[in-house]
Amino acid sequence: MNILLVGSGGREHALAWKIKQSPACTSLFIAPGNAGTAEVGKNVAIAIDQFEALGNFCIQEKIDLVVVGPETPLVLGIRDYFETTAALRHILLVGPGKAGAQLEGSKDFSKKFMLRHGVPTARATTFQAHESAQAIEYLATCKPPIVLKADGLAAGKGVIITQSVTEAQEAVHEMLVQKKFGEASAKVLIEDFLDGIELSVFVLTDGTHYVLLPEAKDYKRIGEGDTGPNTGGMGAVSPVVFATPEFMRKVETQVVLPTIKGLQHDNIPFKGFIFIGLMNVGEEPFVIEYNTRMGDPETEAVLTRIDSDLVELLVACAKGKLDGHRIAINPHYAVTVIMASGGYPENFEKGFAITGLSQQSEAHVFHAGTILKAGEVLTSGGRVLAITGNAPTLQAAAQKAYARAATINWKNAYYRKDISQDLARIEKEGKAV
Ligand code: AMP
Ligand code: GLY
């Protein structure tokens, strides 16, 4: 079958790599892709939100399956566009419609969804722009740390955790009145702080049935020891030591099942990935957020642990026939280290030549922010490469990833040296949380 993958990050390179291994994949196109995806399939110069151009391309290349990587086209309604366009309706697509993507696109919507369907989550109150005075008054009654969340998509920057009421009041003013995140902060959630350790859980569902992918832990902060500003993610590890079978059973019964039942109850069809950001609070799962796509960089770790044919699963998902499908997961560890442009997540320069890419190695080198120019691979984004090592132990997997990272360079390249060390410590101490 002919497959079109939409997106251009490390997640998409990993998806392309896995899709290409399937005997069912005849041709693979990536729109717009990066220098890494160009090695696996054919890049197509169409932006992720140009639905008409993507649709025309699908007709021209007789695409059978579209896999949507990032959230933006989902929230903008790529599925709805394909389903309401006669010439595109027959094409299988992985990713929810606009209604389902609201689980990620609006934190107010997803909070109400969780409360309505009994999914454990932190208590929160939503305020609109004209209610800024009430929000400030309400904050005076809150106990720090206080979590503030912009309702809409804010490129991972919309959550602010404040350590004092005054700081929270200033931040809420910036968000609601000064529109710090534009329309995304026209509504703000004030949420209780959850004290625990985070886990990312991935579900592929057809709206009725589902398979659980391997879980992962993400490293969000730019600095070692989880310091400095939040980023899109600086590394990932899978499996996660505290995701014990007992904890994962709780996740399934208390979170995954009520989420899927809730979607059915609300008449929201959902064919795609649900990425559940969880906090493990004293061995109980609480949902921090839903995303309606795979995580990045978690995908670059998680997919290396799936032995099953991914295309088979994606097709079954898109057809609504996931029932009876199992997923084979290998028990090896995967450790992913993000190599980023110096200065990220704030200001950074792009366009530097990357050296060391062609060396043979045992680790996977997934491209994120790279571009091919005149035969040379140049940096083109904040997160540039995702290096994944796989091995039977956590230490060996990390060692493989770091050994490979040390052979790659460009001007001002930066990566965290401590990815997986916290989990190694927990493993050693035999303590869950
Ligand atoms: P989000 O954009 O919703 O993933 O939030 C970004 C990060 O903020 C999360 O990964 C958590 O580390 C943190 N966070 C969000 N909500 C809470 C909460 N209620 N309690 C503690 N930390 C939170
Ligand atoms: N790694 C977090 C995300 O993809 O949103």
Side-chain angles (χ1 to χ4, degrees), residues 171-183:
V172 100
H173 181 79
E174 279 176 16
M175 288 164 97
L176 280 180
V177 181
Q178 296 171 350
K179 296 262 182 324
K180 182 171 180 177
F181 301 109
E183 264 315 292

Side-chain angles (χ1 to χ4, degrees), residues 11 71 104 156 200 218-220 231-233 235 275 289 291 293-298 383:
R11 166 184 49 216
E71 62 277 18
E104 173 163 4
S200 304
D218 181 15
Y219 293 77
K220 287 222 162 69
T231 69
F275 156 6
E289 62 163 355
N291 296 300
R293 50 161 175 95
M294 283 298 289
D296 194 350
E298 292 96 325
R383 294 188 294 171

Side-chain angles (χ1 to χ4, degrees), residues 17 238 300-306 330-336 362-364 366 387-394 396-401:
W17 164 82
S238 177
E300 293 94 301
V302 162
L303 290 189
T304 64
R305 296 191 54 223
I306 297 180
N330 74 62
H332 280 195
Y333 283 84
V335 172
T336 301
E362 284 182 69
H364 299 282
F366 296 117
I387 319 286
T388 302
N390 299 84
T393 67
L394 185 57
Q399 203 269 332
K400 263 191 197 168

Side-chain angles (χ1 to χ4, degrees), residues 224-353:
E224 280 150 27
D226 294 331
T227 52
N230 263 337
T231 69
M234 293 302 292
V237 174
S238 177
V240 180
V241 55
F242 58 83
T244 58
E246 199 191 339
F247 183 74
M248 291 309 286
R249 257 193 305 277
K250 284 188 191 171
V251 170
E252 267 195 88
T253 54
Q254 295 170 24
V255 176
V256 178
L257 284 169
T259 298
I260 290 172
K261 288 220 173 84
L263 287 167
Q264 286 172 341
H265 183 269
D266 293 350
N267 285 318
I268 300 175
F270 201 107
K271 294 190 172 94
F273 293 100
I274 307 180
F275 156 6
I276 306 167
L278 288 173
M279 194 73 89
N280 177 340
V281 184
E283 297 300 332
E284 293 300 322
F286 285 83
V287 176
I288 298 174
E289 62 163 355
Y290 289 116
N291 296 300
T292 58
R293 50 161 175 95
M294 283 298 289
D296 194 350
E298 292 96 325
T299 304
E300 293 94 301
V302 162
L303 290 189
T304 64
R305 296 191 54 223
I306 297 180
D307 289 337
S308 310
D309 183 330
L310 185 65
V311 173
E312 240 173 58
L313 289 168
L314 295 173
V315 167
C317 162
K319 284 185 172 168
K321 292 189 172 156
L322 262 181
D323 194 16
H325 277 266
R326 295 227 176 286
I327 182 164
I329 294 171
N330 74 62
H332 280 195
Y333 283 84
V335 172
T336 301
V337 175
I338 291 288
M339 297 186 73
S341 299
Y344 172 78
E346 272 117 39
N347 297 332
F348 57 86
E349 285 179 76
K350 308 189 260 198
F352 298 126

Side-chain angles (χ1 to χ4, degrees), residues 4 6 31 44-61 63 66 73 76-89 91 93:
L4 173 67
V6 177
V44 188
I46 305 176
I48 58 172
D49 57 357
Q50 289 178 355
F51 297 165
E52 199 180 333
L54 289 170
N56 289 340
F57 179 82
C58 286
I59 296 166
Q60 181 196 313
E61 293 296 332
I63 296 294
V66 176
L76 292 176
I78 189 167
R79 170 178 285 279
D80 310 66
Y81 178 79
F82 272 64
E83 283 180 351
T84 53
T85 306
L88 302 174
R89 203 168 290 151
I91 298 173
L93 191 142

